[in-house]
Amino acid sequence: MTTDHQDTDTTILDTDVLVVGAGPAGLMLATELRLGGAEVVVVDQRPGPTTESRASTLHARTMEILDSRGLLDELGTPPCEPRGHFGGVPLDLTLPSSHPGQWKVAQTRTEELLQRRAAVLGADLRRRHQLLSLTAEDGVEAEAIGPYGPVRIRARYLVGCDGEDSTVRRLVRAPFPGRDAARELLRADVCGVEVADRRFQRLEHGLAIAATREGVTRVMVHEFGRPAAERGGAEPDFAEVTDVWKRVTGEDISQGTPLWVNAFGDANRQLAHYRHGRVLFAGDAAHRQMPSGGQALNLGVQDAFNLGWKLAAVVRGSADEDLLDTYHSERHTVGRQVLANIRAQVELLLGGPEVEPARALLTELVALDGVRQHLAGMISGLGIRYDVEVPEIHSDEGPLLGRRLPDAWLEPAEGGARRRTTELLRTGRGLLLSLDGDGAPALRATAAPWSDRVAFVADRPAAGGPLPAGQALLVRPDGYVAWAGSGPAGLARALTRWFGTPAADD
């Protein structure tokens, strides 16, 4: 367990994992680590969840993740918009999912939700703590300054979830290749103005976006050809936003009262490696991108969901360290793909008249359902397919291998009420799902040595659903299918690969 004691004027903490940053990625990671049995300390400079109106979109895969951990009841039913965009070109995001479309949830609400769950699970969250230094050899030792003085934290691993200007990344000197911002969007939330709603309106001199909800109007504007300003970490003032808005739209919004003003540029960078020995990175600390299509927060939460169960298994001793390398290989690939689609969207959004032919062509292409599904799968996170195969594991490859387990109804083989696959993931354990409904004795016997970390369920799939009757699926704690087969061949090797050495007999 985490221990806390004093050494002269310094507080000493000992824990399994130190998470730096209590944004959505850091809090999601803390919940998953605790669910997996790891002790975790989270430090953050801020006094509480963000009060700024930053990210406001949860995509379908993130909603599925929250559902798989039983968090949606508390979230309620936020507004859902099936229509998104790709570079400002309208795009229907509807795909097979329990939560298709994009859901409007303020980042403040997301952080509050995850913070409460992390606290219930026993995460040690320390606000107003600034990281000063760290060393990482056999373990990690970090120095921070808190509201009551110096704090020394000793941990087995550290994860930087501290945003695009990550202190952890700077201290580790982690290579962060890519490009700096050349263009930017100015953004403000304003009371007391009346402007028409605009959805990616391209005018002669720039791009204008406006939407009013509950008396607050969010405006975003880019002036074609205007470079990103050198701001030195400072935010623009409202006068700059009103000036650019007037030049682009001809409208005067200077009489409004600004609640929040910021700028975000088209910087596009990604860590060369998400793992540096005992230091790992997730969220915006691992990748920096323009938040086009609301992908940034979702990408970070999904990073954490992939890493949490793996890191918990390693510190618990049930898995070898090389399991952490799959975090880099899987999430770096996804991050690279997302950053590439964002670069394309930036050109379509912020480019001047020269990009109109490309926009016209894309508008024609998204009318083709195959193109629409591909782009929607990329933006929503539903299209992810991990390369889960390893040498000497011979699986009946099937369409679900490496993909998320679909939300589907199951008919219990021994009677009782129907249940959803999502409900079977609530514990954060792995799942061996036999879909022939007879208990599959050979599968049960093969998986028995891993029963402390993999649940066995034998049900029949509901008729007409997406699950293949007669097959068995090995599902990781993050909901992705790691093995599929009609018999036990290769199952033991897959269990060892993803869940470690079986527990020793008593």
Side-chain angles (χ1 to χ4, degrees):
M1 61 180 293
T2 299
T3 59
D4 182 343
H5 60 278
Q6 293 291 132
D7 180 5
T8 64
D9 294 328
T10 300
T11 300
I12 310 294
L13 300 175
D14 291 283
T15 191
D16 290 328
V17 182
L18 170 60
V19 176
V20 181
L27 293 170
M28 183 81 248
L29 180 61
T31 66
E32 290 301 291
L33 287 167
R34 289 298 300 134
L35 201 59
E39 297 294 334
V40 57
V41 171
V42 184
V43 298
D44 192 281
Q45 296 185 63
R46 299 175 302 163
T50 182
T51 58
E52 297 176 342
S53 180
R54 290 186 178 272
S56 59
T57 297
L58 297 181
H59 282 297
R61 180 56 190 150
T62 300
M63 291 290 285
E64 289 181 350
I65 285 171
L66 297 179
D67 192 12
S68 73
R69 294 298 186 256
L71 286 162
L72 288 189
D73 286 345
E74 185 176 351
L75 189 63
T77 306
C80 179
E81 171 56 64
R83 185 182 66 161
H85 73 94
F86 189 93
V89 175
L91 178 68
D92 181 0
L93 295 174
T94 305
L95 290 173
S97 168
S98 58
H99 295 85
Q102 51 183 356
W103 301 75
K104 295 305 176 182
V105 181
Q107 182 170 332
T108 298
R109 184 77 182 92
T110 302
E111 290 189 16
E112 290 171 346
L113 176 73
L114 293 173
Q115 179 174 307
R116 276 195 295 273
R117 177 55 61 92
V120 167
L121 292 173
D124 183 353
L125 175 57
R126 308 252 173 164
R127 294 284 187 181
R128 299 186 178 91
H129 279 63
Q130 180 180 2
L131 182 69
L132 301 177
S133 66
L134 70 88
T135 58
E137 294 178 2
D138 294 336
V140 175
E141 186 163 313
E143 301 284 345
I145 188 70
Y148 304 110
V151 181
R152 182 183 306 156
I153 308 167
R154 298 183 295 221
R156 296 176 61 186
Y157 291 89
L158 180 150
V159 185
C161 300
D162 52 339
E164 60 183 24
D165 296 318
S166 169
T167 299
V168 176
R169 195 177 62 227
R170 174 177 56 80
L171 292 173
V172 174
R173 298 182 180 178
F176 196 44
R179 67 183 191 187
D180 291 328
R183 294 168 290 190
E184 65 182 1
L185 268 171
L186 301 177
R187 175 169 58 177
D189 285 353
V190 190
C191 287
V193 296
E194 293 186 8
V195 297
D197 281 2
R198 291 177 165 90
R199 186 175 174 85
F200 305 107
Q201 184 179 31
R202 291 174 63 83
L203 301 165
E204 180 181 359
H205 299 296
L207 171 73
I209 303 163
T212 300
R213 292 191 181 92
E214 298 179 354
V216 177
T217 300
R218 170 166 291 186
V219 297
M220 291 188 281
V221 63
H222 169 72
E223 187 175 11
F224 293 148
R226 188 172 188 261
E230 292 289 339
R231 301 190 182 278
E235 301 292 5
D237 57 33
F238 186 51
E240 181 180 355
V241 177
T242 62
D243 288 347
V244 176
W245 184 265
K246 189 168 186 177
R247 289 199 296 271
V248 170
T249 68
E251 298 172 347
D252 184 2
I253 60 172
S254 61
Q255 76 280 7
T257 301
L259 304 179
W260 177 58
V261 179
N262 84 330
F264 53 94
D266 63 345
N268 199 279
R269 292 184 175 276
Q270 184 182 26
L271 281 175
H273 300 282
Y274 283 14
R275 181 186 177 196
H276 290 251
R278 290 184 175 269
V279 178
L280 300 103
F281 295 88
D284 287 347
H287 35 74
R288 184 172 187 171
Q289 62 285 310
M290 197 172 195
S292 181
Q295 294 181 87
L297 180 148
N298 293 269
L299 184 61
V301 167
Q302 292 168 38
D303 285 345
F305 201 60
N306 183 289
L307 175 59
W309 68 274
K310 296 175 181 177
L311 187 50
V314 170
V315 301
R316 202 175 59 236
S318 62
D320 294 331
E321 271 196 303
D322 61 0
L323 183 62
L324 298 178
D325 293 330
T326 69
Y327 167 65
H328 167 79
S329 62
E330 291 177 350
R331 295 306 300 174
H332 191 275
T333 299
V334 171
R336 184 176 66 248
Q337 293 167 346
V338 170
L339 265 64
N341 91 53
I342 287 176
R343 284 199 303 270
Q345 291 194 64
V346 167
E347 295 304 319
L348 293 168
L349 274 172
L350 305 187
E354 72 279 1
V355 303
E356 290 303 328
R359 292 178 59 84
L361 177 60
L362 180 62
T363 300
E364 294 180 16
L365 290 175
V366 296
L368 304 175
D369 204 44
V371 175
R372 183 197 68 81
Q373 289 184 24
H374 177 75
L375 294 178
M378 184 185 305
I379 291 171
S380 66
L382 298 177
I384 292 171
R385 185 171 194 173
Y386 293 136
D387 182 7
V388 299
E389 292 188 282
V390 296
E392 299 182 3
I393 291 181
H394 304 291
S395 169
D396 297 340
E397 171 148 350
L400 292 181
L401 189 64
R403 296 191 183 278
R404 78 197 201 288
L405 179 68
D407 180 79
W409 286 102
L410 299 169
E411 305 283 356
E414 299 178 357
R418 295 199 311 167
R419 52 185 171 180
R420 294 166 54 214
T421 52
T422 302
E423 296 171 21
L424 302 177
L425 300 174
R426 297 270 162 89
T427 63
R429 300 171 67 201
L431 171 67
L432 179 58
L433 181 59
S434 174
L435 295 168
D436 63 3
D438 65 1
L443 292 168
R444 184 190 294 271
T446 300
W450 288 269
S451 61
D452 60 324
R453 61 204 91 151
V454 178
F456 181 84
V457 173
D459 283 351
R460 292 187 177 88
L467 296 177
Q471 269 206 324
L473 304 172
L474 178 63
V475 185
R476 308 186 322 188
D478 61 354
Y480 286 85
V481 177
W483 173 89
S486 55
L491 175 58
R493 288 188 291 271
L495 284 161
T496 301
R497 175 71 181 97
W498 296 104
F499 297 97
T501 305
D505 295 333
D506 293 334

